Amino acid sequence: AHCDTISCCTHLGWDLCRSSGHVDLERGGRFAHYAQVFAVFHDAAKAPEDGMYAEFLRQANVFRAQMRAHSAYIQPCTTAEEFRRARESGKCAALLSVEGADLLECDPKKIPSAAEYGVKMINLTWNRANVLSGSNVEEPGRGLSDMGKEFVRRARRTGILIDVSHLSDAGFWDLAEMEAGPI
């Protein structure tokens, strides 16, 4: 569902058209219908000096630049209609996600900025627990904090889905009980 290719484009100079990673437009273009979730990712334990939010902005801007550079083959999508248009025009439908809310400094007030960049999904955690919840690796018995629940509510109000693939089991069940929309 999601790949870390955008972080490789940012830090290794890869290009979405052709790369040595698992995903590129040349290989994906062989499919009649193709969609890819591109995750902005960075390990919070190795946060850059200017902070995780600055890292989010760097990668989100590289995503935008790659979309512009390869607009004949790929279309960023934030709505079902954009997804349909990409499919009808034979382009890859590109969705942007954030793999770990640490990239937004776990700050619910940064969600509107993420939405403006086209983010459609957010993982509350990656492998590291944070102030929002435990993860599947660290503190797996800890569920959503009050701040985590507020983060979820704000994300849902902006149309951003919560991706639970790295969330603790307890966090998953807290989310499911919130009735915060599709997950």
Side-chain angles (χ1 to χ4, degrees):
H2 52 95
C3 68
D4 301 334
T5 302
I6 293 300
S7 65
C8 293
C9 290
T10 303
H11 297 291
L12 301 176
W14 288 9
D15 187 86
L16 282 183
C17 189
R18 175 186 265 169
S19 77
S20 59
H22 294 133
V23 173
D24 64 35
L25 295 173
E26 185 176 280
R27 287 176 281 170
R30 296 178 190 145
F31 297 103
H33 303 293
Y34 178 51
Q36 180 63 57
V37 177
F38 291 95
V40 172
F41 167 76
H42 195 86
D43 186 349
K46 300 173 185 171
E49 286 186 26
D50 57 351
M52 292 293 280
Y53 185 65
E55 180 64 23
F56 163 75
L57 293 174
R58 259 189 298 282
Q59 291 190 38
N61 282 315
V62 167
F63 175 79
R64 282 182 168 176
Q66 290 287 319
M67 296 300 106
R68 284 190 304 273
H70 304 295
S71 62
Y73 309 103
I74 192 166
Q75 178 178 331
C77 297
T78 60
T79 66
E81 179 56 33
E82 289 172 341
F83 195 92
R84 278 189 286 281
R85 281 196 306 252
R87 184 184 66 201
E88 290 167 0
S89 65
K91 295 180 182 182
C92 172
L95 293 94
L96 186 61
S97 74
V98 173
E99 191 171 353
D102 298 287
L103 282 149
L104 301 180
E105 299 171 348
C106 298
D107 183 353
K109 293 177 183 166
K110 288 190 169 65
I111 292 170
S113 173
E116 287 176 17
Y117 274 91
V119 170
K120 290 308 296 177
M121 294 188 307
I122 296 177
N123 295 72
L124 298 179
T125 62
W126 177 62
N127 286 346
R128 309 213 181 273
N130 59 34
V131 298
L132 303 179
S133 183
S135 75
N136 63 336
V137 174
E138 293 181 354
E139 301 179 51
R142 182 166 62 88
L144 297 180
S145 65
D146 288 342
M147 187 175 182
K149 291 175 183 174
E150 176 58 22
F151 193 95
V152 167
R153 284 190 287 273
R154 285 199 184 196
R156 294 303 299 137
R157 282 196 299 267
T158 62
I160 295 175
L161 297 169
I162 303 300
D163 182 338
V164 297
S165 58
H166 294 279
L167 192 59
S168 67
D169 287 353
F172 170 84
W173 290 112
D174 287 346
L175 180 62
E177 290 174 8
M178 286 181 66
E179 299 180 13
I183 53 176

